[in-house]
Amino acid sequence: MATHLVWFRNDLRITDNLALNAACQDPQARVIALFIATPKQWAAHDMAPRQAAFLQQNLQLLQSALAAKSIALHYHQCDDFQDAVIWLDNFCQQQQVDALFYNQQYELNERRRDEALAVRLNSGANGRNITCHRFHDSLLLPPGSVLTGNNEMYKVFTPFRRAFIQRLLMSDNACVPAPIARDNMAAATSFPPLLFDYPQQPVDPILFPAGEDAALQRLRSFCREQVQDYHQQRDFPAVSGTSCLSPYLALGVLSPRQCFNRLRAECPAGLENPDSGAFTWLNELIWREFYCHLLVAYPRLCQHHPFIGWTDAVIWNHSELQLTAWQQGRTGYPIVDAAMRQLNETGWMHNRLRMISASFFG
């Protein structure tokens, strides 16, 4: 009997998860799952304590959801990606894994980690060749699929959006279902809760309830009740006019395909009207795609280098006092201070306020 391992990273859901769906296609295969925590890697990239808490909450719910499908979610903690590659190779040998399934991540460190792992697993160094199955799951269209006539990545958003939408409407973006319960292994309910060693700060359960059920409910409510007015209300921070779905998309508790298909189902005509709320929200989803495509096309963006080269010569203000005042919402500029206080209090900031406070900082 073959053993399939699903490596969860930023895709913490069982519905519309391409790697999980593919791993479960063989009804006779033994399917197990894994999450690897890398606290030192997180700290090096300044993961917020609230994000860590939200990650842990969603992991625990994912573990329960997988257990209901008779899939065990294993857990391991190590320092960084390099240690993760070594440990995962050994784990695959111990579990007699035949195939590893995972969804692509596009940041440079993550891509290097995956490349090193694939070489290691395919080399048979531990006595077993393991096939890696990778999927473009966290984007509507994979990087490199939307290019200029010169076969180059777009550098300006508007022409990218036009080409992106044209290709998107010709692509298959159907969501895949959650797997059915496995009948070839016992229910995986005996694993302890997933607890990792990283500072955490509570997340307001009303503002951001954990789990994919909560995320899907928020998506449905937004597309049915709010998106029609999104283009008129999204720029007013005092109005609850945005989707508040960014934390779920960041951890993969929700997929962009789920967003697109729900939007298309609720507002089919709006997607063709640039002046509609539906089109404006789709535009925001495409901005997310644009940045990920740029990360792959220009890896230097992951290495603290600017997109526009001459901006490297900008002389920054290095005042620690002014930085602290900005961080704590004490600049004396009310809208900037309100934005930073909202972030400090809730862990989330309204999109328009993000632009204002970031521009003020720059």
Side-chain angles (χ1 to χ4, degrees), residues 57 63 68 86 102 140 146 211 235 242 274 287 289 314 342 344 350:
Q57 291 172 10
Q63 184 182 52
I86 297 170
Y102 57 85
L140 292 169
V146 182
D235 289 334
T242 65
W287 269 109
E289 302 272 326
V314 171
Q342 179 186 37
N344 291 330
H350 186 280

Side-chain angles (χ1 to χ4, degrees), residues 114 228 270 284 345:
D114 292 351
Q228 294 82 359
E284 297 303 306
E345 181 68 25

Side-chain angles (χ1 to χ4, degrees), residues 286-316:
I286 299 173
W287 269 109
R288 178 178 178 272
E289 302 272 326
F290 183 52
Y291 286 130
C292 286
H293 286 227
L294 285 173
L295 282 180
V296 176
Y298 304 104
R300 68 177 185 273
L301 296 176
C302 289
Q303 298 174 298
H304 304 288
H305 296 300
F307 185 51
I308 301 174
W310 65 261
T311 60
D312 246 342
V314 171
I315 299 174
W316 291 88

Side-chain angles (χ1 to χ4, degrees), residues 166-184:
Q166 184 178 15
R167 186 173 179 86
L168 177 66
L169 296 178
M170 297 188 297
S171 301
D172 179 10
N173 271 288
C175 294
V176 299
I180 61 175
R182 315 296 292 176
D183 59 5
N184 56 359

Side-chain angles (χ1 to χ4, degrees), residues 76-348:
H76 180 71
Q77 177 174 307
C78 56
D79 285 345
D80 53 30
F81 288 164
Q82 184 175 359
D83 290 342
V85 168
I86 297 170
W87 183 88
L88 182 50
D89 181 19
N90 292 329
F91 179 77
C92 287
Q93 308 305 325
Q94 293 165 6
Q95 295 291 327
Q96 297 186 319
V97 170
D98 297 284
L100 175 65
F101 296 76
Y102 57 85
N103 294 314
Q104 297 269 43
Q105 291 181 292
Y106 302 107
E107 297 84 357
L108 184 59
N109 287 341
E110 284 78 357
R111 288 162 54 201
R112 287 174 171 171
R113 173 203 59 197
D114 292 351
E115 290 166 3
L117 177 66
V119 170
R120 193 178 181 99
L121 294 181
N122 290 329
S123 70
N126 273 344
R128 190 182 187 91
N129 287 312
I130 299 169
T131 304
C132 292
H133 299 279
R134 314 178 194 190
F135 300 87
H136 291 289
D137 178 80
S138 65
L139 297 175
L140 292 169
L141 295 176
S145 64
V146 182
L147 301 175
T148 68
N150 293 327
N151 209 35
E152 297 175 347
M153 175 59 197
Y154 286 92
K155 296 183 179 180
V156 179
F157 175 71
T158 301
F160 173 83
R161 181 187 66 191
R162 286 195 293 264
F164 185 95
I165 291 176
Q166 184 178 15
R167 186 173 179 86
L168 177 66
L169 296 178
M170 297 188 297
S171 301
D172 179 10
N173 271 288
C175 294
V176 299
I180 61 175
R182 315 296 292 176
D183 59 5
N184 56 359
M185 64 178 290
T189 57
S190 60
F191 281 79
L194 303 170
L195 300 172
F196 45 75
D197 183 19
Y198 194 87
Q200 297 190 27
Q201 188 174 357
V203 178
D204 186 336
I206 297 177
L207 186 60
F208 293 113
E212 60 182 296
D213 289 343
L216 287 169
Q217 179 56 48
R218 178 165 291 185
L219 172 64
R220 284 191 291 266
S221 296
F222 174 72
C223 289
R224 289 174 183 172
E225 302 166 11
Q226 292 180 275
V227 77
Q228 294 82 359
D229 300 319
Y230 178 75
H231 60 307
Q232 296 174 329
Q233 297 187 347
R234 69 187 184 118
D235 289 334
F236 297 95
V239 175
S240 180
T242 65
S243 70
C244 291
L245 291 171
S246 53
Y248 303 101
L249 284 165
L251 294 182
V253 181
L254 191 66
S255 81
R257 287 180 303 278
Q258 289 171 315
C259 294
F260 175 66
N261 286 318
R262 175 53 56 183
L263 183 64
R264 184 163 54 177
E266 299 291 343
C267 309
L271 297 183
E272 298 179 3
N273 179 7
D275 297 322
S276 70
F279 187 91
T280 305
W281 193 58
L282 175 62
N283 194 64
E284 297 303 306
L285 293 175
I286 299 173
W287 269 109
R288 178 178 178 272
E289 302 272 326
F290 183 52
Y291 286 130
C292 286
H293 286 227
L294 285 173
L295 282 180
V296 176
Y298 304 104
R300 68 177 185 273
L301 296 176
C302 289
Q303 298 174 298
H304 304 288
H305 296 300
F307 185 51
I308 301 174
W310 65 261
T311 60
D312 246 342
V314 171
I315 299 174
W316 291 88
N317 180 349
H318 294 287
S319 169
E320 290 294 330
L321 287 176
Q322 292 182 9
L323 173 62
T324 300
W326 177 78
Q327 291 171 331
Q328 296 178 355
R330 295 186 292 101
T331 68
Y333 290 81
I335 195 166
V336 174
D337 292 344
M340 298 305 293
R341 291 173 185 176
Q342 179 186 37
L343 178 64
N344 291 330
E345 181 68 25
T346 68
W348 179 86

Side-chain angles (χ1 to χ4, degrees), residues 15-79:
T15 305
D16 196 36
N17 187 313
L18 298 184
L20 177 63
N21 180 267
C24 293
Q25 288 302 304
D26 181 355
Q28 302 304 316
R30 170 180 173 247
V31 179
I32 57 176
L34 172 69
F35 182 85
I36 302 175
T38 53
K40 286 189 178 180
Q41 194 91 25
W42 297 344
H45 291 83
D46 299 315
M47 177 190 278
R50 275 197 179 88
Q51 184 177 3
F54 197 56
L55 170 61
Q56 184 160 289
Q57 291 172 10
N58 282 285
L59 268 175
Q60 290 171 343
L61 291 172
L62 174 66
Q63 184 182 52
S64 298
L66 288 168
K69 305 296 184 181
S70 297
I71 299 173
L73 178 61
H74 297 257
Y75 170 80
H76 180 71
Q77 177 174 307
C78 56
D79 285 345

